[in-house]
Amino acid sequence: MVSKPLLFYDSGAGGLPYLAPARARLPSEHAIYLADRENFPLGEKPAEAVRRVVLESITCAVERFDPRMGQLEEASR
């Protein structure tokens, strides 16, 4: 059985360096990296707009990739 992928969301402001340590620690896991460069920079937008944009992006990714939700199993420790 193939496990569901891990989803990494990046608002477009330098999140890629965090993916490498996660992949090194969890080498057998499939990772999907979602970089939202279209809506960058989020910090200049009102809080409600940020919530809407992030929820839309995450909802789309969940529907498309069916990533794992919640905590990682013991293998991640």
Side-chain angles (χ1 to χ4, degrees):
M1 180 174 107
V2 175
S3 67
K4 293 182 176 188
L6 303 175
L7 177 66
F8 289 82
Y9 177 79
D10 177 4
S11 65
L16 191 56
Y18 297 99
L19 181 60
R23 294 188 77 184
R25 184 167 178 178
L26 304 165
S28 64
E29 298 292 338
H30 177 68
I32 296 172
Y33 181 76
L34 173 62
D36 186 2
R37 293 192 177 111
E38 180 178 338
N39 294 295
F40 177 80
L42 291 177
E44 297 178 359
K45 294 178 173 44
E48 185 55 37
V50 171
R51 278 191 285 278
R52 181 184 46 77
V53 164
V54 171
L55 285 173
E56 287 175 0
S57 296
I58 297 295
T59 298
C60 181
V62 166
E63 290 172 354
R64 182 171 180 185
F65 299 110
D66 191 26
R68 186 174 327 159
M69 302 293 210
Q71 299 292 325
L72 292 174
E73 290 84 28
E74 289 291 321
S76 68
R77 293 180 187 205

